[in-house]
Amino acid sequence: MTSNEISQENMEQHENKKAVAWLTLGHGMADSYSGFINPILPFIVANIGTTLAAATCALSASQLFSSMMQPVFGFIADKWRKRFFIFWGIILASIFFSLTGLVQNIWQLALCLILGGVGVGFYHPQATGFVVRYSGKNLAKYMSIFIAAGTIGYSVGPIISSSITQFFGVIKLPLAASWGILFALAVFLFVPKISHQPVPKDTTSFKTAVTDIFKNKTVRILIMVSALKSLVTSSFSVLLPFYWKSLGYSAFQIGIAVFLFLTVGAFGTYISSKYEKLIGYKNVFYTSLIVPFILTLVFVSLMKLSPVLSFILFILTGFVTMLSVSINMVMAQKTMPQYKSMISGFIAGFSWGIVGVMLPLIGFVAQNVGIIKVLVVIAFIPFVLSYFVRFLPDAQSE
């Protein structure tokens, strides 16, 4: 290889790393807005005079538009190399989630959550597909960092929104849109454009692609595992703020709790590839599905007896639950590489959408039966369904 070829290869690797870096930062930014609402939802509910059940219906609508549409956005992104979804995803998320501070009724809240959710749904499939494109042999490493950045962003969102709510009031939340808009402009300026070469013609229809994906047993199980993770993290971060508010905790205290739950979970995502090498990927899945139920039983029983110990175990639950996230995504990408963005839409989007469909029922039952009882049942579901992990291949394909 000549010096010019080496220089060109090094330059290409540098550009690829830069692309992954911006995509990773963008993931954190987009998800910081999707994490906005959870700790302050009880205060918005009190402000507009609605109920927990109605609020979870609004959240459900948001998750449906954000998550269930991701496979569609991913299908389009696999055929279209422009950065449209990445740029407008951040713009929509930053503006509409921030506007929730000004809503005056449940319909306005639902509209803001839906449009903000569409923004998040725009970003994920295309950005994940680009990470696969630019990562090369470092896919497992870069994907774990990319996903961890999103989780960290999702965990920082509650700190930002709860801090603004605590010290300035919810009506000041729109100020938070400013840095998202500025970052979106930076993405437009600095994220490398995708290849100018014409996109190879692909006549595969959306229906055919969906059929191919759901015919694959491994992918079906991976989608189920992702949905179970989403069920636990979403239910815990949405319902527990209502319970903590009833115990007299402030918006800022609740925001800190949700922040640590998700941030430690992001660390679990980051180290998952190393953990996998030690115990094998199936055991990582078993750990993330079984152990949270045990931890939940303990931390809910200690909430009033020993709040500090209960809080520590709650944080540990987030860590364990998120251990399998990046492994899940990488395995799905390797199983069906022809659908890079679309697979992301199913693993990271569709699975959340399934939970979104269930949120109104979960909120209604929690309101009438009790939040703690519902959370214990929710943690028990992955415990039981961990049985299906045994049907995954014995080893990941390289």
Side-chain angles (χ1 to χ4, degrees):
M1 184 178 291
T2 67
S3 58
N4 286 338
E5 289 174 331
I6 294 174
S7 177
Q8 184 175 357
E9 183 178 348
N10 289 338
M11 185 177 298
E12 183 177 346
Q13 289 176 354
H14 174 74
E15 288 298 309
N16 288 347
K17 287 181 180 179
K18 184 171 75 171
V20 171
W22 277 102
L23 292 165
T24 300
L25 290 172
H27 192 197
M29 179 64 69
D31 279 11
S32 71
Y33 289 102
S34 65
F36 244 48
I37 197 69
N38 291 341
I40 62 170
L41 187 58
F43 301 90
I44 294 177
V45 165
N47 194 42
I48 64 177
T50 188
T51 64
L52 167 60
T56 51
C57 281
L59 274 178
S60 174
S62 174
Q63 288 200 14
L64 284 173
F65 277 86
S66 170
S67 305
M68 300 298 263
M69 290 301 293
Q70 282 195 37
V72 178
F73 299 149
F75 177 76
I76 297 171
D78 279 328
K79 295 175 176 291
W80 193 18
R81 295 182 181 178
K82 295 184 181 296
R83 301 167 296 171
F84 173 89
F85 289 115
I86 295 172
F87 175 73
W88 283 106
I90 297 174
I91 290 286
L92 289 174
S94 62
I95 291 175
F96 286 102
F97 278 120
S98 298
L99 285 177
T100 55
L102 299 181
V103 300
Q104 297 179 348
N105 55 58
I106 188 64
W107 303 108
Q108 292 177 4
L109 175 63
L111 179 63
C112 286
L113 292 178
I114 287 170
L115 293 175
V118 167
V120 176
F122 269 10
Y123 188 85
H124 283 91
Q126 189 171 57
T128 307
F130 285 171
V131 169
V132 175
R133 183 189 303 275
Y134 288 125
S135 292
K137 296 180 180 179
N138 296 311
L139 176 58
K141 174 185 174 182
Y142 288 154
M143 185 62 73
S144 65
I145 296 173
F146 174 79
I147 294 176
T151 307
I152 290 172
Y154 189 73
S155 66
V156 169
I159 290 290
I160 297 170
S161 62
S162 61
S163 297
I164 294 173
T165 300
Q166 180 76 26
F167 300 110
F168 304 103
V170 291
I171 61 171
K172 298 297 183 182
L173 274 179
L175 295 174
S178 57
W179 51 81
I181 295 171
L182 290 173
F183 187 87
L185 294 174
V187 166
F188 183 78
L189 291 173
F190 300 117
V191 170
K193 290 185 178 180
I194 311 306
S195 175
H196 291 288
Q197 298 174 0
V199 181
K201 188 174 181 181
D202 183 358
T203 58
T204 303
S205 68
F206 180 76
K207 180 180 178 181
T208 299
V210 171
T211 302
D212 288 346
I213 288 171
F214 277 95
K215 277 183 178 179
N216 190 294
K217 182 177 72 172
T218 296
V219 172
R220 290 200 306 269
I221 295 174
L222 293 175
I223 291 173
M224 181 201 72
V225 170
S226 181
L228 292 173
K229 179 271 301 178
S230 302
L231 177 65
V232 172
T233 55
S234 182
S235 299
F236 277 47
S237 58
V238 168
L239 295 181
L240 276 172
F242 283 89
Y243 183 75
W244 286 323
K245 184 177 184 294
S246 72
L247 296 180
Y249 291 98
S250 69
F252 184 70
Q253 289 173 319
I254 294 171
I256 289 290
V258 176
F259 165 74
L260 291 175
F261 173 75
L262 295 169
T263 299
V264 174
F267 180 70
T269 298
Y270 175 69
I271 69 167
S272 60
S273 60
K274 297 178 181 178
Y275 191 50
E276 175 196 11
K277 292 177 182 177
L278 293 176
I279 67 171
Y281 89 94
K282 279 191 178 183
N283 288 327
V284 176
F285 282 154
Y286 283 127
T287 301
S288 69
L289 295 173
I290 293 173
V291 176
F293 173 62
I294 301 169
L295 292 173
T296 300
L297 289 177
V298 180
F299 89 71
V300 298
S301 66
L302 294 174
M303 274 185 168
K304 295 180 180 178
L305 295 174
S306 179
V308 174
L309 180 57
S310 173
F311 175 74
I312 293 171
L313 293 174
F314 166 69
I315 300 304
L316 185 59
T317 303
F319 171 81
V320 176
T321 301
M322 299 292 284
L323 266 178
S324 65
V325 176
S326 65
I327 298 172
N328 196 335
M329 179 65 77
V330 170
M331 187 172 182
Q333 296 276 4
K334 289 182 176 179
T335 302
M336 303 194 78
Q338 69 272 34
Y339 300 121
K340 293 187 290 290
S341 298
M342 196 172 180
I343 280 289
S344 167
F346 277 104
I347 296 296
F350 182 77
S351 59
W352 279 94
I354 295 172
V355 176
V357 172
M358 299 170 63
L359 263 182
L361 177 61
I362 293 171
F364 177 79
V365 174
Q367 184 172 284
N368 290 277
V369 175
I371 289 173
I372 298 304
K373 291 179 181 177
V374 169
L375 291 180
V376 170
V377 172
I378 284 172
F380 182 65
I381 295 172
F383 179 89
V384 173
L385 294 182
S386 64
Y387 169 80
F388 290 97
V389 172
R390 68 193 296 265
F391 297 109
L392 289 171
D394 290 334
Q396 288 201 59
S397 58
E398 297 298 329

